[in-house]
């Protein structure tokens, strides 16, 4: 079978993470589990049956069996009959699943999820090596450096051992992507993957609009955010764009602390409701925030989940922010992390999140039917929701009102006030082959190194305004591709030309103009110039400023 090198669509899998690099936001609420004494008798009877069967297998089954692995398998299959986010982590995986929110590491930079014995990419980490070569959400990693990553043997330990490694070393991966019959080949060079979560914080050209991008809610997110916010205020910021696109969630506390910086008073920011009253909780605004006045716009898309939905939903319910983009993922279940005696961990759904209007952000699911739940984002794409403005009308859900009477809907993510369709006009097979072979990134890095002295004489603002990726540079990219047997296609090149120019320019900027740790302001100053979300936000600030008045 001929292997092709391509890149294409996103989001064919569930976004909230069970055993991935980041945590679902809900996991921070449930610290303890309280049993229901009225059903203890039935539970003991069922567990005795399970133990009895394992004892017979261990003692009398014809072949040798690892009963620990068998028990783990049985537990995981049992939990599949519950909701999509309850999960069991064997002992060797529990610590690994938490580590990337807390420490930097060397690797390829992806969040992943294991489903049906297959490793799926949840999302490539922003600015990481996988994103740079074109790995996309929904990709299935079939093989890495000759190691098969499918089948019953696949677990978090195997994946980490295969994909992590010393920076500078490479991982050759075979990827299965929806819509393509053949496997796709990618080579990713491992690099340091830090835990910074605020990708950008800068004042835009108009000298009054701040831009802050948060990629996930990790331990340091709130302090990173506050540092960026304070810098922007001292520079004269009057209004703010908060970018939560593709943010899968993380620590709930960091998220509500950020929401509290925008919301006046001491109202409820989020609350939970479950079967056991001891798992119910209300989180209130607690202090005077640093940006309670001034127009605010929040950007979301179908990759914004969990804690991102709590922030954007609370700001929408209090009429504090205008929400721009596409309907968010719809993850509103709360998981309690329960440490078991052998070091393994049960992440049990104990309640649901509700935002101030009373809306649940959890999208519908049928217990045990994980296929439909995982494929829901693909269903949205197939039915045109990513491209059709009617998607802002989520009227299948119950109608609610914001604090000043605007109609909003529950039952499936946060519906934006202003819709922005997905742009696929630049996608071509030729572009994806350039990406999968790392041609664009390598050219930009080489160009930056060769012209560093010349470029450093410019300011970043002058570079953004005046620098052009010219025909000579594009010709070199084409030539570099041909050296790697990438067949040039004039029509596809024309389709992708402006996007290639933008990406090269942005990557050169990132290499030359270094920002403080964790930030890629120079990169976003380039790409945001042509970003349709940013254009929509800038054109609706008058409306955002009138909210609540």
């Amino acid at each position: 079978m001929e292997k092709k090198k391509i890149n294409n669509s996103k989001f064919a899998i569930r976004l909230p993470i069970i055993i991935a690099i980041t945590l679902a936001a809900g996991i921070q609420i449930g610290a303890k589990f309280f049993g229901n004494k009225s059903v203890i008798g039935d539970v003991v009877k069922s567990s005795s049956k399970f133990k009895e069967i394992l004892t017979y297998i261990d003692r009398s089954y014809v072949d040798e069996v690892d009963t620990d692995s068998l028990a783990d398998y049985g537990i995981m299959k049992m939990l599949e009959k519950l909701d999509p986010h309850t999960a069991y982590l064997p002992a060797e995986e529990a610590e690994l699943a938490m580590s990337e929110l807390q420490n930097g590491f060397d690797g390829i930079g992806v969040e992943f999820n294991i489903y049906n014995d297959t490793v799926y990419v949840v999302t490539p980490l922003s600015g990481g090596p996988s994103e740079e070569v074109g790995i996309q959400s929904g990709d299935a990693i079939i093989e890495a450096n000759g190691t098969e990553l499918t089948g019953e043997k696949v677990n978090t330990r195997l994946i980490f051992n295969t994909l992590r490694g010393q920076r500078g070393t490479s991982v050759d991966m075979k990827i299965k992507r929806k819509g393509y019959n053949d496997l796709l080949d990618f080579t990713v060079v491992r690099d340091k993957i830090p835990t910074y979560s605020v990708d950008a914080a800068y004042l835009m050209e108009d000298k009054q609009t701040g831009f802050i991008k948060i990629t996930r809610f990790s331990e340091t997110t709130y302090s990173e955010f506050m540092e960026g916010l304070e810098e922007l205020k001292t520079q004269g910021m009057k209004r703010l764009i908060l970018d939560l696109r593709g943010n899968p969630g993380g620590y709930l506390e960091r998220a509500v602390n950020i929401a509290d910086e925008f919301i006046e008073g001491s109202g409820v920011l989020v609350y939970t409701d479950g079967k056991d009253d001891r798992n119910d909780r209300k989180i209130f605004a607690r202090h005077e925030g640093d940006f309670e006045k001034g127009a605010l716009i929040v950007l979301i898309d179908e990759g914004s989940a969990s804690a991102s939905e709590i922030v954007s939903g609370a700001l929408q319910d209090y009429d504090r922010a205008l929400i721009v983009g596409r309907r968010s993922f719809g993850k509103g279940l709360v998981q309690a992390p329960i440490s078991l005696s052998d070091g393994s961990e049960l992440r049990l759904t104990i309640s649901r999140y509700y935002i101030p209007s009373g809306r649940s952000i959890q999208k519908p699911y049928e217990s045990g039917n994980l296929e439909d739940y995982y494929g829901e984002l693909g269903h949205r794409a197939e039915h045109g929701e990513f491209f059709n403005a009617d998607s802002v009308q989520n009227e299948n859900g119950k109608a609610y009102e914001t604090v000043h009477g605007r109609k909003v809907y529950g039952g499936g993510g946060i519906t934006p006030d202003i819709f922005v369709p997905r742009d696929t006009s630049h996608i071509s097979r030729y572009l994806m082959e350039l990406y999968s072979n790392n041609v664009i990134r390598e050219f930009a890095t080489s160009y930056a190194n060769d012209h560093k002295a010349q470029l450093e004489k410019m300011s970043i603002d002058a570079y953004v305004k005046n620098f052009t990726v010219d025909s000579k540079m594009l010709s070199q990219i084409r030539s570099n591709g041909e050296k790697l047997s990438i067949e040039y296609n004039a029509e596809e090149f024309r389709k992708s030309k402006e996007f290639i120019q933008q990406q090269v320019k942005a990557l050169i900027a990132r290499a030359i103009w270094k920002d403080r740790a964790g930030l890629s302001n120079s990169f976003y100053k380039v790409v945001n110039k042509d970003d349709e979300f940013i254009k929509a936000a800038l054109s609706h600030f008058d409306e955002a400023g009138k909210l609540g008045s």
Side-chain angles (χ1 to χ4, degrees):
M1 182 188 300
E2 180 185 1
K3 306 295 189 294
K4 300 182 183 298
K5 299 180 179 180
I6 310 175
N7 186 354
N8 200 6
S9 63
K10 295 185 176 182
F11 305 113
I13 57 174
R14 63 173 175 175
L15 185 62
I17 302 159
I18 290 177
I19 43 180
I21 288 174
T22 63
L23 300 173
I27 206 165
Q28 295 306 312
I29 274 196
K32 297 180 181 178
F33 172 71
F34 301 93
N36 186 331
K37 293 182 180 178
S38 65
V39 298
I40 283 180
D42 290 338
V43 170
V44 170
K45 187 185 299 182
S46 298
S47 64
S48 297
K49 184 191 301 183
F50 189 69
K51 181 179 179 180
E52 186 177 5
I53 291 172
L54 283 177
T55 300
Y56 277 116
I57 291 172
D58 185 48
R59 184 172 62 196
S60 302
Y61 185 68
V62 63
D63 297 320
E64 290 295 324
V65 175
D66 183 346
T67 52
D68 286 341
S69 296
L70 201 61
D72 287 350
Y73 180 79
I75 291 168
M76 287 186 280
K77 287 299 180 182
M78 173 180 67
L79 296 182
E80 286 182 6
K81 295 298 183 181
L82 302 178
D83 67 277
H85 299 290
T86 290
Y88 168 76
L89 279 69
E92 67 272 14
E93 299 179 13
E95 184 176 352
L96 290 173
M98 285 283 288
S99 61
E100 276 69 31
L101 276 179
Q102 300 166 340
N103 305 294
F105 62 99
D106 291 346
I108 67 169
V110 294
E111 296 169 358
F112 66 88
N113 187 31
I114 303 172
Y115 169 65
N116 202 20
D117 298 330
T118 301
V119 183
Y120 289 98
V121 175
V122 176
T123 187
L125 297 182
S126 178
S130 288
E131 182 192 55
E132 297 288 0
V133 302
I135 302 295
Q136 294 288 346
S137 299
D139 284 347
I141 305 176
I142 305 301
E143 182 181 302
N145 280 350
T147 299
E148 290 188 7
L149 295 180
T150 58
E152 294 183 5
K153 69 179 184 301
V154 174
N155 56 39
T156 304
R157 173 72 66 179
L158 174 64
I159 296 165
F160 279 19
N161 288 343
T162 305
L163 301 183
R164 283 184 174 184
Q166 186 176 358
R167 73 186 72 176
T169 58
S170 62
V171 182
D172 296 322
M173 295 195 296
K174 296 188 181 299
I175 297 292
K176 176 64 178 175
R177 180 168 291 156
K178 188 176 180 180
Y180 296 92
N181 294 326
D182 297 333
L183 297 180
L184 315 179
D185 294 332
F186 289 86
T187 296
V188 184
V189 179
R190 296 182 179 101
D191 203 348
K192 182 71 175 178
I193 311 299
T195 57
Y196 296 115
S197 55
V198 174
D199 255 15
Y202 72 90
L203 198 65
M204 302 183 78
E205 280 184 312
D206 60 14
K207 303 304 180 185
Q208 64 170 330
T209 306
F211 174 82
I212 297 179
K213 181 172 181 62
I214 304 176
T215 58
R216 61 192 183 279
F217 292 97
S218 67
E219 280 194 338
T220 61
T221 301
Y222 180 63
S223 59
E224 291 179 57
F225 168 80
M226 289 304 297
E227 184 176 355
L229 185 66
E230 290 303 318
E231 287 179 359
L232 292 177
K233 288 176 63 179
T234 61
Q235 295 171 23
M237 179 185 71
K238 299 293 188 295
R239 58 192 196 181
L240 176 64
I241 297 173
L242 179 64
D243 189 351
L244 300 180
R245 289 175 291 174
N247 183 325
Y251 285 115
L252 174 68
E253 259 187 69
R254 310 309 189 272
V256 294
N257 284 345
I258 288 172
D260 199 1
E261 295 299 328
F262 300 114
I263 294 173
E264 290 183 300
S266 56
V268 173
L269 299 177
V270 63
Y271 65 93
T272 63
D273 186 38
K275 179 170 64 177
D276 189 335
D277 290 345
R278 288 172 291 185
N279 295 326
D280 298 345
R281 181 182 175 189
K282 289 184 177 180
I283 300 178
F284 297 87
R286 294 173 297 190
H287 62 266
E288 183 177 346
D290 268 12
F291 197 71
E292 292 183 351
K293 303 292 184 182
L296 175 64
I297 288 179
V298 179
L299 308 183
I300 62 170
D301 64 9
E302 58 279 357
S304 307
S306 200
S308 297
E309 296 173 293
I310 290 169
V311 172
S312 54
L315 294 172
Q316 187 180 51
D317 281 354
Y318 279 111
D319 289 307
R320 178 63 187 92
L322 196 70
I323 310 300
V324 172
R326 294 188 291 272
R327 183 160 61 97
S328 62
F329 182 87
K331 197 281 184 184
L333 297 175
V334 183
Q335 284 74 53
I338 304 165
S339 297
L340 305 179
S341 59
D342 65 347
S344 58
E345 183 175 281
L346 173 64
R347 295 182 178 178
L348 183 67
T349 297
I350 58 172
S351 55
R352 287 180 169 82
Y353 284 122
Y354 294 87
I355 50 180
S357 63
R359 289 185 283 167
S360 168
I361 57 178
Q362 177 63 41
K363 64 185 178 183
Y365 64 89
E366 179 182 347
S367 294
N369 189 355
L370 302 184
E371 290 283 355
D372 285 351
Y373 188 81
Y374 298 162
E376 191 267 340
L377 290 179
H379 179 80
R380 291 191 207 178
E382 290 169 5
H383 287 74
E385 180 175 327
F386 293 160
F387 309 98
N388 187 343
D390 289 341
S391 71
V392 300
Q393 303 301 322
N394 185 24
E395 287 152 354
N396 292 326
K398 180 180 176 181
Y400 295 82
E401 287 189 349
T402 66
V403 73
H404 288 101
R406 292 191 302 145
K407 185 175 289 188
V408 290
Y409 295 93
I414 303 302
T415 301
D417 303 302
I418 305 297
F419 174 73
V420 179
R422 178 184 286 181
D423 179 16
T424 59
S425 61
H426 62 281
I427 299 294
S428 70
R429 179 182 294 267
Y430 181 68
L431 172 66
M432 297 312 130
E433 291 199 0
L434 291 177
Y435 259 111
S436 63
N437 283 277
N438 210 21
V439 173
I440 292 175
R441 182 185 186 186
E442 286 192 359
F443 173 81
T445 301
S446 176
Y447 186 93
N449 290 335
D450 293 343
H451 299 80
K452 184 176 181 179
Q454 175 186 347
L455 290 168
E456 286 180 337
K457 294 178 182 178
M458 306 171 66
S459 68
I460 178 59
D461 292 334
Y463 172 86
V464 172
K465 183 177 181 180
N466 300 316
F467 185 85
T468 300
V469 176
D470 58 26
S471 58
K472 182 179 178 181
M473 296 169 69
L474 292 173
S475 178
Q476 185 62 56
I477 292 171
R478 170 183 169 182
S479 176
N480 291 350
E482 290 172 346
K483 291 175 183 177
L484 296 173
S485 301
I486 300 174
E487 183 178 352
Y488 175 71
N489 183 300
E491 182 178 349
E492 292 185 355
F493 174 76
R494 178 191 55 76
K495 182 178 182 181
S496 303
K497 177 182 175 181
E498 290 185 3
F499 181 78
I500 293 172
Q501 289 175 305
Q502 178 209 65
Q503 290 297 299
V504 170
K505 183 174 179 177
L507 290 168
I508 292 172
R510 176 187 278 167
I512 297 296
W513 289 277
K514 304 296 184 182
D515 302 294
R516 67 174 169 82
L519 296 183
S520 295
N521 288 342
S522 54
F523 180 90
Y524 285 98
K525 284 181 179 181
V526 175
V527 299
N528 282 350
K529 293 278 288 183
D530 297 313
D531 190 316
E532 294 302 322
F533 282 78
I534 300 297
K535 292 177 182 178
L538 292 173
S539 66
H540 285 89
F541 261 118
D542 286 346
E543 185 177 344
K546 294 175 183 176
L547 287 177
S549 60

